[in-house]
Amino acid sequence: MNAETPKSRRCHECGNENIVEGVVVTQSNYRGDVALAFTSMRVFTGSAPLSADVCRQCGTVLRFYVDQPDLPWITR
């Protein structure tokens, strides 16, 4: 995406263009945040918080994402 072409997003469920971006995804406080796990220095693990884009009309979550996609993710 460049400065000349703004990002146009539509909800795939209702067609609405009123999308709120960057909503923080959490669980209740006593359980901690929902996050994706990654390794750090091959010994320690960390977690990257999830964000979401949500349709303001019908509440559909259009995508989940992390701000740092190049981390060494832990997979099964």
Side-chain angles (χ1 to χ4, degrees), residues 22-23 25 34-38 47-53 63-73:
V23 176
V25 178
V34 173
L36 300 179
F38 65 91
S47 60
L50 286 171
S51 295
D53 294 347
R63 71 177 181 137
F64 288 109
Y65 61 93
V66 294
D67 291 330
Q68 295 178 299
D70 61 343
L71 293 171
W73 302 110

Side-chain angles (χ1 to χ4, degrees), residues 14-67:
C14 71
N16 184 37
E17 292 182 346
N18 190 359
I19 308 299
V20 60
E21 297 180 345
V23 176
V24 177
V25 178
T26 64
Q27 285 185 339
S28 58
N29 289 337
Y30 72 93
R31 296 195 62 186
D33 291 343
V34 173
L36 300 179
F38 65 91
T39 61
S40 175
M41 300 183 334
R42 297 183 189 219
V43 177
F44 304 105
T45 60
S47 60
L50 286 171
S51 295
D53 294 347
V54 179
C55 174
R56 288 189 184 268
Q57 177 81 22
C58 69
T60 296
V61 176
L62 302 177
R63 71 177 181 137
F64 288 109
Y65 61 93
V66 294
D67 291 330

